[in-house]
Amino acid sequence: MGKKHADFWAALLNLAVLYNKMGEFNKSESLYLETKAIYEKLMIKIVKHFKNYLNNLEDCILINFNMTKLKFYSELKVIYDKAISEIT
């Protein structure tokens, strides 16, 4: 586990919250800024993977048309579109 891992991000965020509650605002702010940078990188990675997943699922539907897969794809596409709109 390294600095780019989601667990590291969560631990760092918890530490920032703790410093904030202790009144250590300079330490807290520094950690919040670091967690923000890590979070942005994690979200970009997640979005890229999810988009690839959707593309692969779409290819599967086109090759072997199946209404169940099409419904599943449509539901995932809504989730993807919503996530993209919330981070842009």
Side-chain angles (χ1 to χ4, degrees):
M1 179 172 81
K3 284 189 171 190
K4 295 179 182 178
H5 195 278
D7 289 342
F8 178 81
W9 171 81
L12 206 60
L13 183 60
N14 287 336
L15 187 56
V17 170
L18 177 63
Y19 278 139
N20 193 53
K21 288 181 179 183
M22 293 171 50
E24 298 281 343
F25 302 116
N26 289 337
K27 289 180 182 179
S28 178
E29 181 183 17
S30 170
L31 291 176
Y32 277 127
L33 293 173
E34 188 175 348
T35 59
K36 179 182 176 280
I38 294 169
Y39 183 74
E40 287 172 350
K41 289 176 185 171
L42 287 172
M43 290 310 300
I44 289 168
K45 187 184 243 184
I46 289 168
V47 167
K48 284 180 181 177
H49 285 299
F50 194 63
K51 183 163 178 49
N52 287 338
Y53 173 75
L54 285 178
N55 288 337
N56 291 337
L57 183 58
E58 185 178 30
D59 290 344
C60 181
I61 291 166
L62 293 173
I63 293 168
N64 179 21
F65 187 78
N66 180 313
M67 288 305 288
T68 303
K69 288 178 186 170
L70 182 61
K71 183 178 185 286
F72 183 61
Y73 171 82
S74 298
E75 291 168 355
L76 289 174
K77 183 78 168 88
V78 168
I79 293 168
Y80 173 79
D81 291 341
K82 182 179 178 191
I84 290 296
S85 71
E86 289 180 6
I87 63 172
T88 56

